[in-house]
Amino acid sequence: MTLPEPKIDGSMSVEKAIKQRRTVRSFRKSALTMEELSQLLYSAQGITEDGGFKRSAPSGGALYPLDVYAVVGDRGVEGLAPGVYHYEPSGHRVDLISHGDKRRELARASLHQMWMASAPLNLVITSEYARITSKYGERGIRYALIEVGHVGQNIFLQAEAMGLKAGIVGAFHDSEVIRVMGIPLRHEPLLIMPVGYGT
Ligand SMILES: Cc1cc2nc3c(=O)[nH]c(=O)nc-3n(C[C@H](O)[C@H](O)[C@H](O)COP(=O)(O)O)c2cc1C
């Protein structure tokens, strides 16, 4: 499904978004709009180079080892069935990977951090290390880990700028997260970011 065109302007300064950003762990039930989902994914890994392939976050050698998945809850995003979606930067689209509301299972896989399931949307960032170690060897792993930090902060600041809040989770069982989401084994989860309206 092609996402709405992302905006390249907004009403909150980056200074204010940086000042306000906090890890938030409780969310209202309110659904996000497709526009909000589109904007969050664009901030994470959207193609920002006109006619090119370069993305919102920097990447060692522009090799882009990361993928972003959206775990959408029941009535989590208006007009989108609950499920796990893969973000495809070229074409700015999401493709359904698995059906159903996986939020509680995802929270259980994250050491029972059940607050995660209160967020209408969880963004999961994974790394396929081979895409970058093929050029940089072991050091490519470091580069992918640095890159995911950039993506996480982009999501935090974009959420803030839209009046949303985000959390960040690194405590989870990798293999359980992969199983729950139904994603390829080579996509190793690095970060999970619950997003929604704060309480
Ligand atoms: C790599 C990483 C992993 C984290 N994992 C978790 C987590 O599993 N659960 C959680 O509640 N917070 C987690 N946090 C959030 C930190 O607790 C939080 O960033 C820290 O307390 C500073 O607060 P702030 O983000 O509101 O400034 C994580 C943060 C980072 C950067």
Side-chain angles (χ1 to χ4, degrees):
M1 175 188 288
T2 305
L3 293 162
E5 195 68 22
K7 290 196 279 187
I8 51 162
D9 208 352
S11 52
M12 186 184 289
S13 67
V14 70
E15 290 84 354
K16 189 163 187 197
I18 289 169
K19 165 77 177 146
Q20 282 188 188
R21 184 211 64 82
R22 282 274 82 81
T23 295
V24 165
R25 299 181 181 84
S26 84
F27 300 91
R28 278 191 259 146
K29 272 198 181 334
S30 320
L32 303 189
T33 61
M34 286 292 275
E35 284 74 18
E36 288 166 332
L37 175 68
S38 162
Q39 202 67 42
L40 288 163
L41 292 170
Y42 179 75
S43 77
Q45 278 294 274
I47 292 176
T48 49
E49 186 186 26
D50 293 338
F53 69 98
K54 291 194 174 172
R55 303 186 185 178
S56 55
S59 181
L63 290 169
Y64 301 107
L66 308 181
D67 280 84
V68 182
Y69 290 92
V71 176
V72 176
D74 196 18
R75 285 184 279 275
V77 177
E78 284 169 12
L80 208 55
V84 176
Y85 294 83
H86 177 251
Y87 177 55
E88 184 54 56
S90 90
H92 191 53
R93 52 176 295 121
V94 285
D95 297 305
L96 184 66
I97 302 294
S98 45
H99 281 283
D101 188 340
K102 311 283 184 192
R103 289 176 301 171
R104 290 186 65 77
E105 276 185 273
L106 189 66
R108 277 197 286 270
S110 306
L111 279 52
H112 288 79
Q113 299 189 68
M114 299 314 292
W115 60 269
M116 293 167 65
S118 74
L121 170 71
N122 278 251
L123 295 175
V124 181
I125 299 118
T126 65
S127 177
E128 184 175 350
Y129 291 112
R131 289 186 212 154
I132 193 154
T133 53
S134 57
K135 177 168 183 186
Y136 296 114
E138 279 295 294
R139 201 167 183 85
I141 294 171
R142 178 195 296 218
Y143 292 170
L145 299 178
I146 292 170
E147 187 172 331
V148 77
H150 289 272
V151 172
Q153 185 76 342
N154 274 7
I155 292 169
F156 259 130
L157 298 182
Q158 179 65 76
E160 204 62 52
M162 290 191 293
L164 297 168
K165 295 289 175 186
I168 179 165
V169 170
F172 47 76
H173 295 291
D174 299 357
S175 55
E176 271 299 284
V177 168
I178 289 171
R179 184 190 61 76
V180 163
M181 292 174 61
I183 61 176
L185 277 174
R186 64 182 189 283
H187 286 192
E188 296 186 35
L190 292 180
L191 267 190
I192 305 178
M193 298 190 65
V195 186
Y197 286 93
T199 51

